[in-house]
Amino acid sequence: AVVSTQSGHYGRGKILHQTSRCIRSLATFTKESNRFYKEVDVVQTDEGYTVKLDKYNVRTPLRNVLVLPTEKLADAVAIEWDSQKKSIIFPLMPLSTLCFKATDKPISNSDLIEHMLDFLTTDTVCYRAPASDDQLHSLEINRWNPITEWFSRYYHVHLALTTDITLTPQSDQTIQRLREHLSTLHPWTLPAYHHSTTSLKSLVIAMAMLDGGLAVEEAIACSCLESDYQIDRWGEVEWQHTLDRARLTADVAAAVLMAQEVKSLSVEKSKAINWN
Protein backbone atom coordinates (compact mmCIF):
# COMPACT_ATOMS: atom_id res chain seq x y z
CA ALA A 1 0.00 0.00 0.00
CA VAL A 2 1.04 3.58 -0.51
CA VAL A 3 1.99 5.57 2.57
CA SER A 4 1.65 9.28 1.96
CA THR A 5 4.66 11.25 3.13
CA GLN A 6 3.76 14.41 1.29
CA SER A 7 1.32 17.09 2.39
CA GLY A 8 -0.04 17.63 -1.12
CA HIS A 9 0.28 20.28 -3.78
CA TYR A 10 -2.54 22.68 -2.95
CA GLY A 11 -1.51 26.31 -2.79
CA ARG A 12 2.09 25.72 -1.76
CA GLY A 13 3.19 28.92 -3.48
CA LYS A 14 0.36 30.87 -1.89
CA ILE A 15 1.06 29.48 1.55
CA LEU A 16 4.75 30.29 1.24
CA HIS A 17 3.88 33.80 0.11
CA GLN A 18 1.57 34.31 3.08
CA THR A 19 4.15 33.15 5.60
CA SER A 20 7.15 34.97 4.11
CA ARG A 21 6.29 38.18 5.92
CA CYS A 22 6.93 36.59 9.31
CA ILE A 23 9.91 34.36 8.47
CA ARG A 24 12.36 36.72 10.18
CA SER A 25 10.35 36.72 13.39
CA LEU A 26 9.76 32.98 13.26
CA ALA A 27 13.48 32.35 12.82
CA THR A 28 14.13 33.64 16.33
CA PHE A 29 11.69 31.02 17.65
CA THR A 30 13.44 28.08 16.01
CA LYS A 31 16.74 28.64 17.78
CA GLU A 32 17.57 27.83 21.35
CA SER A 33 17.92 30.86 23.63
CA ASN A 34 18.81 31.13 27.29
CA ARG A 35 16.03 31.09 29.84
CA PHE A 36 15.79 34.70 31.02
CA TYR A 37 12.95 34.37 33.54
CA LYS A 38 12.52 32.84 36.99
CA GLU A 39 8.77 32.70 37.50
CA VAL A 40 5.91 31.67 35.20
CA ASP A 41 2.39 32.79 36.06
CA VAL A 42 -1.07 32.76 34.49
CA VAL A 43 -3.01 36.02 34.73
CA GLN A 44 -6.68 36.48 33.92
CA THR A 45 -7.56 39.55 31.86
CA ASP A 46 -10.72 40.95 30.28
CA GLU A 47 -9.76 39.21 27.01
CA GLY A 48 -8.81 35.83 28.46
CA TYR A 49 -5.66 34.47 30.10
CA THR A 50 -2.06 35.52 29.57
CA VAL A 51 1.16 33.78 30.56
CA LYS A 52 3.77 35.95 32.24
CA LEU A 53 7.48 35.29 32.40
CA ASP A 54 8.34 37.33 35.47
CA LYS A 55 6.75 40.68 34.51
CA TYR A 56 6.73 40.06 30.74
CA ASN A 57 3.84 38.66 28.70
CA VAL A 58 4.57 35.74 26.41
CA ARG A 59 4.45 37.10 22.87
CA THR A 60 4.05 35.41 19.52
CA PRO A 61 6.60 35.52 16.67
CA LEU A 62 4.72 38.56 15.31
CA ARG A 63 5.01 40.19 18.75
CA ASN A 64 1.32 39.85 19.65
CA VAL A 65 0.55 39.22 23.31
CA LEU A 66 -0.51 35.59 23.62
CA VAL A 67 -4.05 35.56 25.06
CA LEU A 68 -5.49 32.10 25.75
CA PRO A 69 -9.26 31.49 25.71
CA THR A 70 -9.36 29.10 28.71
CA GLU A 71 -7.51 28.82 31.99
CA LYS A 72 -6.65 25.15 31.41
CA LEU A 73 -5.04 25.99 28.07
CA ALA A 74 -3.09 28.84 29.70
CA ASP A 75 -1.94 26.52 32.50
CA ALA A 76 -0.71 23.98 29.95
CA VAL A 77 1.20 26.65 28.02
CA ALA A 78 2.68 27.92 31.29
CA ILE A 79 3.87 24.39 32.13
CA GLU A 80 5.70 24.23 28.79
CA TRP A 81 7.52 27.48 29.55
CA ASP A 82 8.27 26.50 33.12
CA SER A 83 9.66 23.13 32.00
CA GLN A 84 12.41 24.86 30.01
CA LYS A 85 15.64 24.70 31.97
CA LYS A 86 18.77 26.55 30.93
CA SER A 87 17.63 26.97 27.32
CA ILE A 88 14.26 27.64 25.69
CA ILE A 89 13.76 24.92 23.08
CA PHE A 90 10.68 25.71 20.99
CA PRO A 91 10.48 22.34 19.21
CA LEU A 92 9.73 20.94 22.69
CA MET A 93 6.80 23.36 23.13
CA PRO A 94 4.16 22.11 20.66
CA LEU A 95 1.18 23.64 22.44
CA SER A 96 2.74 27.10 22.61
CA THR A 97 3.60 26.84 18.93
CA LEU A 98 0.00 25.96 18.04
CA CYS A 99 -1.30 28.88 20.09
CA PHE A 100 1.13 31.19 18.31
CA LYS A 101 -0.30 30.06 14.96
CA ALA A 102 -3.88 30.54 16.17
CA THR A 103 -3.01 34.09 17.25
CA ASP A 104 -0.83 35.26 14.35
CA LYS A 105 -2.76 33.41 11.62
CA PRO A 106 0.17 33.28 9.14
CA ILE A 107 -2.10 31.20 6.87
CA SER A 108 -5.74 32.07 6.25
CA ASN A 109 -8.45 29.76 7.56
CA SER A 110 -9.66 28.96 4.04
CA ASP A 111 -6.16 27.95 2.95
CA LEU A 112 -5.73 25.77 6.04
CA ILE A 113 -8.95 23.99 5.11
CA GLU A 114 -7.93 23.47 1.48
CA HIS A 115 -4.53 22.18 2.57
CA MET A 116 -6.22 19.63 4.85
CA LEU A 117 -8.60 18.55 2.10
CA ASP A 118 -5.63 18.04 -0.19
CA PHE A 119 -4.58 15.14 2.06
CA LEU A 120 -7.62 13.13 1.02
CA THR A 121 -6.03 12.47 -2.38
CA THR A 122 -3.21 10.51 -0.71
CA ASP A 123 -4.76 9.71 2.67
CA THR A 124 -3.00 6.76 4.28
CA VAL A 125 -6.16 4.86 5.21
CA CYS A 126 -7.57 5.03 1.67
CA TYR A 127 -4.67 3.08 0.14
CA ARG A 128 -4.63 -0.58 1.08
CA ALA A 129 -2.21 -3.42 0.61
CA PRO A 130 -3.34 -6.02 -1.95
CA ALA A 131 -4.94 -9.21 -0.65
CA SER A 132 -1.82 -11.09 -1.73
CA ASP A 133 0.00 -9.41 1.18
CA ASP A 134 -2.36 -11.13 3.56
CA GLN A 135 -0.74 -10.11 6.86
CA LEU A 136 -0.62 -6.37 6.14
CA HIS A 137 -3.99 -6.50 4.37
CA SER A 138 -5.56 -8.06 7.47
CA LEU A 139 -3.96 -5.48 9.76
CA GLU A 140 -5.33 -2.62 7.66
CA ILE A 141 -8.83 -4.08 7.61
CA ASN A 142 -8.86 -4.55 11.39
CA ARG A 143 -7.40 -1.16 12.28
CA TRP A 144 -8.54 1.11 9.46
CA ASN A 145 -11.99 -0.14 8.50
CA PRO A 146 -13.64 0.99 11.76
CA ILE A 147 -12.23 4.48 11.15
CA THR A 148 -13.27 4.79 7.50
CA GLU A 149 -16.72 3.35 8.26
CA TRP A 150 -17.23 5.82 11.13
CA PHE A 151 -15.97 8.66 8.93
CA SER A 152 -18.43 7.86 6.15
CA ARG A 153 -21.38 7.60 8.56
CA TYR A 154 -20.56 10.66 10.64
CA TYR A 155 -19.97 13.08 7.76
CA HIS A 156 -22.39 11.39 5.33
CA VAL A 157 -19.74 10.93 2.67
CA HIS A 158 -18.35 8.12 0.55
CA LEU A 159 -14.63 7.40 0.85
CA ALA A 160 -13.02 5.82 -2.19
CA LEU A 161 -10.64 3.03 -1.08
CA THR A 162 -8.14 1.37 -3.39
CA THR A 163 -5.31 -1.13 -3.58
CA ASP A 164 -3.96 0.62 -6.68
CA ILE A 165 -0.72 2.60 -6.52
CA THR A 166 -2.16 5.40 -8.67
CA LEU A 167 -3.87 8.38 -7.07
CA THR A 168 -7.56 7.88 -6.41
CA PRO A 169 -9.34 11.22 -5.94
CA GLN A 170 -12.38 11.56 -3.69
CA SER A 171 -15.65 12.81 -5.14
CA ASP A 172 -16.46 16.51 -5.36
CA GLN A 173 -19.47 15.89 -3.10
CA THR A 174 -17.26 14.37 -0.39
CA ILE A 175 -14.77 17.24 -0.63
CA GLN A 176 -17.50 19.87 -0.45
CA ARG A 177 -19.26 18.29 2.53
CA LEU A 178 -16.00 18.13 4.49
CA ARG A 179 -15.15 21.69 3.46
CA GLU A 180 -18.48 22.86 4.86
CA HIS A 181 -17.87 21.01 8.12
CA LEU A 182 -14.35 22.38 8.57
CA SER A 183 -15.61 25.90 7.81
CA THR A 184 -17.84 25.75 10.90
CA LEU A 185 -14.92 25.19 13.27
CA HIS A 186 -13.74 27.85 15.69
CA PRO A 187 -10.71 29.75 14.29
CA TRP A 188 -8.63 28.54 17.23
CA THR A 189 -9.59 24.95 16.49
CA LEU A 190 -8.50 24.95 12.85
CA PRO A 191 -4.73 25.03 13.57
CA ALA A 192 -5.20 21.96 15.80
CA TYR A 193 -7.01 20.08 13.01
CA HIS A 194 -4.40 21.15 10.48
CA HIS A 195 -1.50 20.19 12.73
CA SER A 196 -3.07 16.79 13.47
CA THR A 197 -3.60 16.15 9.78
CA THR A 198 -0.04 16.99 8.78
CA SER A 199 1.43 15.10 11.73
CA LEU A 200 -0.62 11.94 11.15
CA LYS A 201 -0.45 12.22 7.33
CA SER A 202 -4.20 11.62 7.31
CA LEU A 203 -7.23 13.89 7.44
CA VAL A 204 -9.43 10.86 8.09
CA ILE A 205 -7.51 9.76 11.19
CA ALA A 206 -7.18 13.34 12.45
CA MET A 207 -10.93 13.98 12.22
CA ALA A 208 -11.74 10.61 13.78
CA MET A 209 -9.53 11.62 16.70
CA LEU A 210 -10.80 15.19 17.10
CA ASP A 211 -14.48 14.65 16.24
CA GLY A 212 -14.93 10.97 17.03
CA GLY A 213 -12.94 10.53 20.20
CA LEU A 214 -10.31 8.18 18.78
CA ALA A 215 -7.55 7.99 21.40
CA VAL A 216 -4.24 9.67 20.62
CA GLU A 217 -2.34 6.40 20.98
CA GLU A 218 -4.72 4.60 18.61
CA ALA A 219 -4.60 7.45 16.09
CA ILE A 220 -0.81 7.30 16.03
CA ALA A 221 -0.84 3.50 15.78
CA CYS A 222 -3.18 3.70 12.79
CA SER A 223 -1.09 6.41 11.15
CA CYS A 224 2.12 4.42 11.61
CA LEU A 225 0.62 1.00 10.90
CA GLU A 226 2.52 0.34 7.68
CA SER A 227 5.84 1.72 8.90
CA ASP A 228 5.50 -0.28 12.13
CA TYR A 229 4.77 -3.37 10.05
CA GLN A 230 7.97 -2.83 8.07
CA ILE A 231 9.96 -2.23 11.26
CA ASP A 232 8.66 -5.49 12.73
CA ARG A 233 9.92 -7.27 9.63
CA TRP A 234 13.23 -5.52 8.99
CA GLY A 235 14.17 -3.78 12.23
CA GLU A 236 14.68 -0.10 13.00
CA VAL A 237 17.40 2.50 13.35
CA GLU A 238 18.41 2.38 17.01
CA TRP A 239 16.60 5.03 19.11
CA GLN A 240 15.32 6.91 16.07
CA HIS A 241 11.91 5.27 15.99
CA THR A 242 11.40 5.86 19.71
CA LEU A 243 12.35 9.53 19.42
CA ASP A 244 10.14 10.09 16.37
CA ARG A 245 7.18 8.46 18.11
CA ALA A 246 7.69 10.57 21.23
CA ARG A 247 7.73 13.77 19.18
CA LEU A 248 4.66 12.71 17.25
CA THR A 249 2.79 11.85 20.45
CA ALA A 250 3.61 15.23 22.00
CA ASP A 251 2.55 17.11 18.85
CA VAL A 252 -0.74 15.27 18.47
CA ALA A 253 -1.60 15.41 22.18
CA ALA A 254 -1.08 19.19 22.11
CA ALA A 255 -3.49 19.50 19.19
CA VAL A 256 -6.12 17.38 20.97
CA LEU A 257 -5.86 19.46 24.16
CA MET A 258 -6.21 22.69 22.20
CA ALA A 259 -9.22 21.46 20.23
CA GLN A 260 -10.96 20.06 23.31
CA GLU A 261 -10.49 23.25 25.29
CA VAL A 262 -11.86 25.49 22.54
CA LYS A 263 -14.80 23.14 22.01
CA SER A 264 -15.55 23.15 25.76
CA LEU A 265 -15.53 26.94 25.66
CA SER A 266 -18.09 26.91 22.85
CA VAL A 267 -20.29 24.49 24.79
CA GLU A 268 -20.19 26.67 27.91
CA LYS A 269 -21.12 29.76 25.88
CA SER A 270 -23.96 27.82 24.28
CA LYS A 271 -25.27 26.73 27.68
CA ALA A 272 -25.10 30.31 28.95
CA ILE A 273 -27.07 31.55 25.96
CA ASN A 274 -29.72 28.84 26.33
CA TRP A 275 -30.00 29.49 30.09
CA ASN A 276 -30.59 33.17 29.59
Side-chain angles (χ1 to χ4, degrees):
V2 176
V3 179
S4 170
T5 57
Q6 301 296 324
S7 60
H9 63 274
Y10 175 83
R12 282 176 176 163
K14 187 173 184 180
I15 289 174
L16 287 173
H17 174 73
Q18 288 178 314
T19 56
S20 63
R21 65 188 179 90
C22 61
I23 285 177
R24 182 176 299 177
S25 295
L26 286 169
T28 64
F29 280 70
T30 60
K31 300 176 182 178
E32 293 184 19
S33 56
N34 293 330
R35 174 169 173 159
F36 59 88
Y37 52 91
K38 294 182 178 180
E39 301 294 331
V40 181
D41 295 303
V42 171
V43 177
Q44 186 173 8
T45 69
D46 292 339
E47 293 78 23
Y49 298 86
T50 61
V51 177
K52 284 190 174 292
L53 311 176
D54 294 335
K55 63 180 179 178
Y56 302 102
N57 286 317
V58 169
R59 291 181 178 269
T60 70
L62 294 184
R63 307 305 299 160
N64 294 307
V65 174
L66 182 64
V67 181
L68 290 311
T70 73
E71 186 176 11
K72 184 175 179 180
L73 197 57
D75 287 340
V77 169
I79 289 172
E80 282 192 338
W81 285 89
D82 199 37
S83 67
Q84 306 304 301
K85 302 306 179 184
K86 292 183 178 180
S87 298
I88 302 171
I89 307 174
F90 284 96
L92 301 181
M93 303 169 70
L95 184 59
S96 295
T97 301
L98 273 177
C99 293
F100 291 161
K101 291 178 181 178
T103 302
D104 286 345
K105 296 180 175 61
I107 303 173
S108 69
N109 290 341
S110 61
D111 283 336
L112 282 179
I113 290 172
E114 295 305 319
H115 192 224
M116 284 187 278
L117 291 172
D118 199 37
F119 272 80
L120 277 180
T121 303
T122 55
D123 201 291
T124 298
V125 298
C126 294
Y127 289 82
R128 305 299 180 84
S132 57
D133 189 349
D134 57 344
Q135 187 175 359
L136 180 56
H137 184 74
S138 177
L139 282 172
E140 291 174 347
I141 288 176
N142 291 334
R143 300 298 287 274
W144 289 352
N145 275 17
I147 294 176
T148 55
E149 290 169 2
W150 171 87
F151 191 92
S152 296
R153 289 194 308 271
Y154 188 82
Y155 301 110
H156 305 288
V157 298
H158 170 72
L159 277 180
L161 309 180
T162 183
T163 58
D164 201 337
I165 62 173
T166 59
L167 293 181
T168 302
Q170 302 296 331
S171 69
D172 291 341
Q173 182 180 8
T174 292
I175 297 293
Q176 182 56 29
R177 192 177 294 275
L178 294 174
R179 180 182 290 115
E180 291 171 357
H181 172 77
L182 292 169
S183 298
T184 66
L185 297 178
H186 190 285
W188 265 69
T189 308
L190 272 175
Y193 276 69
H194 182 263
H195 188 68
S196 297
T197 300
T198 57
S199 297
L200 296 169
K201 304 295 188 296
S202 171
L203 176 61
V204 176
I205 296 175
M207 293 180 75
M209 179 181 68
L210 295 172
D211 287 344
L214 185 69
V216 169
E217 296 80 4
E218 180 64 15
I220 292 172
C222 288
S223 172
C224 300
L225 185 149
E226 291 181 332
S227 60
D228 287 347
Y229 172 76
Q230 297 299 334
I231 287 171
D232 287 342
R233 294 185 65 188
W234 308 108
E236 62 180 330
V237 178
E238 189 174 4
W239 298 112
Q240 188 61 51
H241 177 70
T242 302
L243 289 173
D244 289 345
R245 187 63 66 94
R247 293 190 189 101
L248 178 59
T249 301
D251 286 346
V252 174
V256 170
L257 173 60
M258 183 170 173
Q260 288 178 342
E261 276 303 290
V262 176
K263 286 181 179 180
S264 70
L265 181 66
S266 300
V267 169
E268 289 303 315
K269 285 185 176 180
S270 177
K271 287 181 179 178
I273 292 172
N274 292 335
W275 177 261
N276 294 329

